[in-house]
Amino acid sequence: MKDMSSLGLRFERGKLFVLDQQLLPHKEVWIECKSPQEMVDLIRRLAVRGAPLIGVAAALELARYHERGASPAAVREAAGMLRAARPTAVNLMAAVDRMLGADDLARMAEKIFDEDVELCENMARHGELLIKDGDRILTHCNTGGLATVGIGTALGVIRKAFENGKRIHVYVDETRPLLQGARLTAWELGKLGIPFTLISDNMAGMLMAQKKIDIAFVGSDRIAANGDAANKIGTYSVAVLAHYHRVPFYVVAPYTTVDKNCPTGADIPIEERNADEVRGASGPRDCAVYNPAFDVTPRKLITALVLDTGLA
Ligand code: MRU
């Protein structure tokens, strides 16, 4: 397989490395993935995360495993494990299924990687037309170069507008409970020199009431056939607020996020994660906790989907 690299994933001379996103922004540590089980663990503990990225990472690991001499049966078993690592992002299942259907695993993994870069460019090209000079943009979670192998979905749109000379300002939801906004989006925007302000999730309503948000962009982990979209927990609240305050609310995603076999948002499996993520270091140890990692925004709250093929 050829060498490939992105902000969070690298394949170099036969070895696969991931940037441990749990340690960002304080430490930049690259971990070598040496087995499918290790990749499953990296995906589960969100060292590798973001819907498109986990699909590409699983594909690269399957190709690497095959290159190292794994039998077809072992590759199939690994594919089953990787497919089940996280339940909501359909990009993961789609990428693994493409690998299983391929004659040449290395070429297919390269194709999935290169395609993701191109899909990001296409979403950005369509989406940035929605942004006006001077816009103040709200975003949630992390949807950039750490969530894809390209420039990102929602964050790719924002980046393209900035690179095209639009004077924008981004409000970044910190994104409780795992702080993908505060830890990852702020890190990416800082590196790119894009002006931003970090807010806690419960401040978005007040900012909208003060007319400080012109437009909102988020990503998605799975879009149902009817247009309902699952994304990081808290996205639905942003959509409701945006609707009330008449702020345009866009969901940016590649075709690999669309699940035609899933009729509505109610059919999207929602991952529930460990209670300690919500408790944090200082929360009570003994109370009941509910920790769904994603919520579903109904299509009627979405102004439009920004897909790689254009607006829908
Ligand atoms: O749990 P995570 O951090 O993997 O969740 C990521 C998101 O919800 C993103 O918004 C989504 O994957 C789309 S971004 C490319």
Side-chain angles (χ1 to χ4, degrees):
M1 204 159 40
K2 68 174 182 181
D3 285 0
M4 290 169 267
S5 78
S6 74
L7 200 55
L9 200 62
R10 276 190 203 147
F11 189 80
E12 275 168 9
R13 281 166 282 145
K15 292 184 174 175
L16 180 56
F17 300 91
V18 305
L19 178 61
D20 188 343
Q21 297 195 27
Q22 283 293 4
L23 300 179
L24 289 175
H26 304 296
K27 284 189 194 154
E28 293 181 28
V29 176
W30 286 85
I31 302 173
E32 186 183 351
C33 175
K34 295 185 182 146
S35 72
Q37 185 57 55
E38 275 181 31
M39 182 55 83
V40 168
D41 295 341
L42 290 166
I43 291 173
R44 286 217 173 111
R45 70 174 185 85
L46 309 194
V48 189
R49 50 149 296 284
L53 188 72
I54 59 177
V56 180
L60 292 190
E61 172 52 24
L62 285 174
R64 188 204 65 81
Y65 191 44
H66 170 74
E67 263 185 5
R68 288 290 164 104
S71 69
V75 170
R76 264 198 310 280
E77 193 188 328
M81 261 166 30
L82 285 161
R83 211 177 180 283
R86 291 187 79 188
T88 304
V90 74
N91 314 60
L92 174 62
M93 295 89 187
V96 169
D97 290 347
R98 283 173 84 181
M99 291 297 286
L100 282 176
D103 293 326
D104 185 334
L105 293 187
R107 292 298 87 70
M108 181 53 87
E110 290 172 1
K111 187 173 168 186
I112 289 172
F113 186 103
D114 293 342
E115 184 193 82
D116 190 58
V117 174
E118 201 182 314
L119 291 170
C120 289
E121 283 299 324
N122 289 337
M123 286 178 272
R125 193 162 40 80
H126 297 300
E128 86 84 33
L129 300 173
L130 300 165
I131 298 176
K132 294 189 293 298
D133 189 33
D135 267 357
R136 294 149 308 168
I137 304 166
L138 180 68
T139 192
H140 191 74
C141 196
N142 172 266
T143 61
L146 289 171
T148 64
V149 289
I151 61 172
T153 59
L155 211 61
V157 166
I158 293 168
R159 173 175 174 172
K160 190 63 86 187
F162 177 76
E163 287 173 354
N164 286 350
K166 293 179 187 170
R167 285 160 296 180
I168 55 170
H169 192 91
V170 186
Y171 284 92
V172 178
D173 269 354
E174 67 174 350
T175 316
R176 278 277 295 155
L178 293 178
L179 306 181
Q180 286 93 333
R183 294 186 303 103
L184 309 176
T185 301
W187 183 77
E188 283 199 41
L189 290 172
K191 268 179 176 285
L192 293 166
I194 302 177
F196 72 94
T197 300
L198 179 63
I199 58 169
S200 64
D201 301 345
N202 49 6
M203 295 172 188
M206 180 183 165
L207 280 168
M208 288 189 200
Q210 292 174 337
K211 305 215 176 303
K212 288 184 178 159
I213 305 290
D214 301 297
I215 191 165
F217 288 98
V218 299
S220 176
D221 287 77
R222 192 185 298 222
I223 299 174
N226 74 338
D228 295 348
N231 191 46
K232 179 51 55 195
I233 191 75
T235 303
Y236 171 61
S237 311
V238 176
V240 172
L241 287 169
H243 184 73
Y244 181 78
H245 294 285
R246 298 182 201 286
V247 171
F249 177 89
Y250 292 98
V251 173
V252 187
Y255 83 91
T256 48
T257 301
V258 178
D259 184 359
K260 295 209 174 87
N261 298 318
C262 203
T264 75
D267 305 298
I268 299 176
I270 300 294
E271 175 182 9
E272 275 189 48
R273 295 186 59 87
N274 196 292
D276 286 341
E277 293 180 352
V278 174
R279 290 191 178 114
S282 51
R285 308 317 302 165
D286 53 358
C287 66
V289 166
Y290 180 44
N291 186 15
F294 301 95
D295 57 28
V296 174
T297 299
R299 61 173 285 175
K300 64 174 182 241
L301 296 181
I302 301 171
T303 308
L305 301 172
V306 180
L307 303 172
D308 48 287
T309 46
L311 295 198

